[in-house]
Amino acid sequence: MFERFGLDTRLLRAIADCGYVTPTPIQEQALPPVLEGKDVLGLAQTGTGKTAVFALPILQRLLQGPRQVIRALVLAPTRELALQIDADFRSLGRHTPVKTTTIFGGVGKVPQLTRLRQGVEVVVACPGRLLDHLGQGAIDLSRVEVLVLDEADRMCDMGFLPDIRRILAKVPAQRQTLFFSATMPEEINQLSRDILHQPVRVAVAADRPACTVAHALYPVPHHLKTRFLLTLLQHTPTAQVLVFTRTKYRARRLAAVLERAGYRSAALQGNMSQNARQKSLLGFRTNEVDILVATDIAARGLDISDISHVINFDMPATVEDYTHRIGRTGRAEAEGEAYTLITDDDLPLVQRIEQLLGEKLNRRTFPDFDYKASPEGAARDVDARDKTDRGPYGQRSPRQRPALEQAKQSHPVGLPTSSRVQRPLQDFLRPKATAPGSRQPRPQRRGPRGGRG
Ligand code: AMP
């Protein structure tokens, strides 16, 4: 099926090695114009197969012409996405001599410079570090033939727009430009108008979440969110779960809470070292971690498939973010569920999401969950920054103990079926006993540190 695009046999072999049999819709639409050298504006989310839309034509082009000069530059918002794109180039280019490298912050510059000096044809970079290298004269973009902007809307959200414009000034005006964005806010529209030359537009389910996703909203008071999530997880059969929080701090804390509750969980947030992030991701991909708690930016663009549930512990900031998060489940016709914990403050955004979906979302409740528990009785939530040492969850009154059996019968989702350790709720609501001589829990840090997602 890929034969008809006229790709080199070395690429066709790699495509077969990767197990791709039929092109995805965006590949169908966009590969021909990209291979012809046209500019393309692609409205598509990650998970649609868009990386191959630019990687295959770039590899095809680089089979001819000079070696060891940078001829293709891909800009991506996050290190994780850059690494993933680089990995895709390596897979698809495995039978070719084309060399690629990544450039992003948070790791040493020297290995990046060494690799650049050794000679590469493709650079996949995050804008900030790339500008550093450019400023030091360490990288020459004067022979770039193809420029790709991936997840342009997210780069814009992250404040990279000025950086991108400075980088654009360093690449030849005569080039092919491929521009991908899941959404088209005005700023992005303007940028695309400025840099694309008579682009071919392709759009694949850009704004609507996958229709195989079942959405449900769980109204819950802010201070009971952690407790509620534990109840939800305990009564829901899940496989891989991706939980989103609003801040890095909350991702870190919630992952720790879940771990303590017996779930195999990990955090993915921007304050973590590159190594720690990779470890979390690898754990999730290899099923050693069942629940990944992430911030939007850290998880942006990652191809994490086979997710049964996306849970918005905190409502996202925008409708677009909701779409992105939900795009992680229900991919490729698989069924997924998207749960969102909502507070009264979230109602305006809920309305906008419902408008986008064209339907009113299901509101669900647990009849036996004590929605009226007071902040004091409800114990310390991820958001509560109480420094007294009552244990992580404080004390619960008998009234708050969920009647688990009743809940099992009344909740529509059903019983847990996963083999994951399931401890009774009261076990982890009890303060953890600290053995003599063992370490005391450290006081919680207040709020997230600065920096990006
Ligand atoms: P992307 O949107 O580029 O991140 O791709 C999402 C996932 O789809 C990646 O795991 C790709 O390896 C995979 N993929 C891309 N193209 C195809 C295809 N034609 N058939 C099957 N899987 C694909």
Side-chain angles (χ1 to χ4, degrees):
M1 293 288 273
F2 276 90
E3 282 76 8
R4 68 196 158 80
F5 296 116
L7 293 165
D8 187 274
T9 49
R10 286 165 282 182
L11 297 177
L12 290 174
R13 262 167 59 212
I15 289 169
D17 293 346
C18 289
Y20 305 172
V21 180
T22 44
T24 65
I26 192 159
Q27 291 164 0
E28 285 280 354
Q29 291 181 49
L31 274 172
V34 179
L35 282 162
E36 280 172 38
K38 292 185 176 146
D39 282 6
V40 165
L41 173 60
L43 271 161
Q45 297 171 18
T46 289
T48 51
K50 68 182 162 62
T51 313
V53 167
F54 56 84
L56 287 169
I58 287 174
L59 288 164
Q60 172 99 347
R61 174 192 283 257
L62 299 187
L63 289 173
Q64 254 108 61
R67 303 238 75 80
Q68 306 200 335
V69 286
I70 300 169
R71 297 172 61 195
L73 172 66
V74 182
L75 296 179
T78 62
R79 306 174 244 210
E80 284 79 7
L81 182 58
L83 281 168
Q84 202 167 292
I85 294 169
D86 183 65
D88 284 355
F89 265 100
R90 285 166 201 258
S91 303
L92 293 169
R94 66 176 61 170
H95 302 300
T96 75
V98 176
K99 292 198 181 63
T100 72
T101 197
T102 48
I103 288 181
F104 45 72
V107 292
K109 286 184 186 171
V110 176
Q112 294 179 351
L113 293 173
T114 309
R115 178 89 182 135
L116 283 171
R117 264 186 236 114
Q118 285 165 352
V120 297
E121 291 87 35
V122 181
V123 168
V124 185
C126 297
R129 175 62 67 89
L130 179 64
L131 268 181
D132 270 8
H133 286 312
L134 277 168
Q136 291 168 1
I139 186 164
D140 175 14
L141 299 179
S142 67
R143 296 181 70 182
V144 165
E145 297 165 33
V146 186
L147 172 72
V148 181
L149 272 75
D150 200 6
E151 304 232 348
D153 50 352
R154 177 56 46 161
M155 287 199 276
C156 176
D157 288 351
M158 291 170 71
F160 282 139
L161 212 51
D163 289 359
I164 290 173
R165 290 198 182 270
R166 281 158 67 200
I167 292 165
L168 282 166
K170 304 279 185 190
V171 295
Q174 186 73 22
R175 59 164 196 261
Q176 181 181 24
T177 307
L178 308 171
F179 190 108
F180 294 90
S181 193
T183 58
M184 267 291 161
E186 183 42 38
E187 242 178 334
I188 288 298
N189 214 352
Q190 185 58 50
L191 179 69
S192 72
R193 281 200 297 268
D194 292 349
I195 69 172
L196 292 169
H197 178 67
Q198 299 183 339
V200 174
R201 282 177 74 100
V202 292
V204 180
D207 268 335
R208 252 181 139 265
C211 57
T212 48
V213 178
H215 305 253
L217 303 177
Y218 288 92
V220 62
H222 192 75
H223 66 279
L224 295 176
K225 277 185 171 183
T226 306
R227 164 179 301 220
F228 187 84
L229 178 69
L230 293 169
T231 307
L232 184 62
L233 287 170
Q234 208 173 29
H235 292 84
T236 309
T238 58
Q240 298 281 103
V241 183
L242 183 57
V243 177
F244 282 100
T245 63
R246 190 168 38 78
T247 65
K248 294 177 265 195
Y249 170 83
R250 287 160 72 76
R252 184 170 65 88
R253 288 277 300 128
L254 188 58
V257 165
L258 292 171
E259 188 72 36
R260 194 189 288 249
Y263 292 95
R264 301 187 308 171
S265 60
L268 184 72
Q269 43 88 5
N271 279 350
M272 289 161 62
S273 69
Q274 187 60 16
N275 271 351
R277 289 200 212 187
Q278 291 304 329
K279 194 169 161 234
S280 293
L281 263 181
L282 189 69
F284 197 57
R285 287 203 168 115
T286 55
N287 291 336
E288 273 159 34
V289 165
D290 294 315
I291 306 180
L292 188 67
V293 187
T295 56
D296 285 290
I297 288 175
R300 180 72 173 204
L302 297 179
D303 174 36
I304 308 172
S305 46
D306 291 335
I307 293 171
S308 68
H309 291 75
V310 168
I311 300 180
N312 296 313
F313 184 78
D314 296 314
M315 191 71 170
T318 63
V319 178
E320 285 77 24
D321 281 339
Y322 181 82
T323 312
H324 277 291
R325 289 182 181 185
I326 300 317
R328 305 330 186 93
T329 185
R331 281 189 187 183
E333 310 307 318
E335 295 201 356
E337 296 196 64
Y339 296 160
T340 305
L341 274 47
I342 57 165
T343 66
D344 289 346
D345 295 342
D346 300 323
L347 295 178
L349 193 61
V350 168
Q351 264 182 4
R352 293 211 296 283
I353 292 169
E354 291 181 329
Q355 275 164 10
L356 171 75
L357 292 167
E359 61 182 287
K360 201 158 163 57
L361 297 179
N362 238 334
R363 264 79 167 163
R364 290 187 189 165
T365 51
F366 280 103
D368 298 299
F369 184 80
D370 183 2
Y371 287 91
K372 294 211 161 49
S374 68
E376 297 78 42
R380 283 190 251 170
D381 203 326
V382 165
D383 217 24
R385 314 276 166 77
D386 185 353
K387 288 216 171 78
T388 59
D389 196 15
R390 280 182 302 154
Y393 305 102
Q395 301 289 1
R396 299 169 69 236
S397 71
R399 187 172 62 89
Q400 291 164 342
R401 253 173 234 140
L404 288 182
E405 286 313 309
Q406 258 182 29
K408 283 173 192 169
Q409 280 157 27
S410 54
H411 190 261
V413 183
L415 293 171
T417 54
S418 96
S419 56
R420 181 199 310 133
V421 185
Q422 302 277 349
R423 274 166 51 191
L425 190 61
Q426 50 269 41
D427 269 8
F428 42 78
L429 288 167
R430 210 174 284 139
K432 203 175 179 186
T434 313
S438 72
R439 281 198 324 171
Q440 293 291 324
R442 278 192 291 154
Q444 296 160 18
R445 186 154 50 76
R446 286 184 75 86
R449 273 187 263 135
R452 285 167 172 156

